[in-house]
Amino acid sequence: MAEEKSEVKRPPGTCIPWEEKKQEFPPIQGDEELVKRQWEEIDALGYTYIWQILLSF
């Protein structure tokens, strides 16, 4: 039985793209660009952390 692999397209350097994460939040009342920028910075830190752990062992 062959397993079907679905390939997820993500921009380089991201774990969870903003467009995907935005769906988990209620409608943003303020500056969405500010929230997006903060999310992308935090997500990039997570991505860097994962790579550092992988390269350390």
Side-chain angles (χ1 to χ4, degrees):
M1 184 187 235
E3 288 185 34
E4 233 180 89
K5 290 185 180 182
S6 62
E7 193 171 315
V8 177
K9 297 286 185 181
R10 297 196 188 283
T14 62
C15 295
I16 303 172
W18 169 246
E19 292 304 319
E20 189 176 315
K21 187 67 176 177
K22 182 170 83 168
Q23 296 172 1
E24 297 176 17
F25 296 129
I28 297 173
Q29 300 292 321
D31 185 4
E32 184 177 331
E33 190 59 36
L34 177 64
V35 179
K36 175 183 177 186
R37 187 171 59 242
Q38 289 299 310
W39 172 255
E40 288 174 345
E41 289 177 12
I42 291 168
D43 188 63
L45 288 173
Y47 182 84
T48 302
Y49 176 75
I50 291 169
W51 271 108
Q52 285 298 327
I53 294 298
L54 288 172
L55 294 175
S56 295
F57 295 104

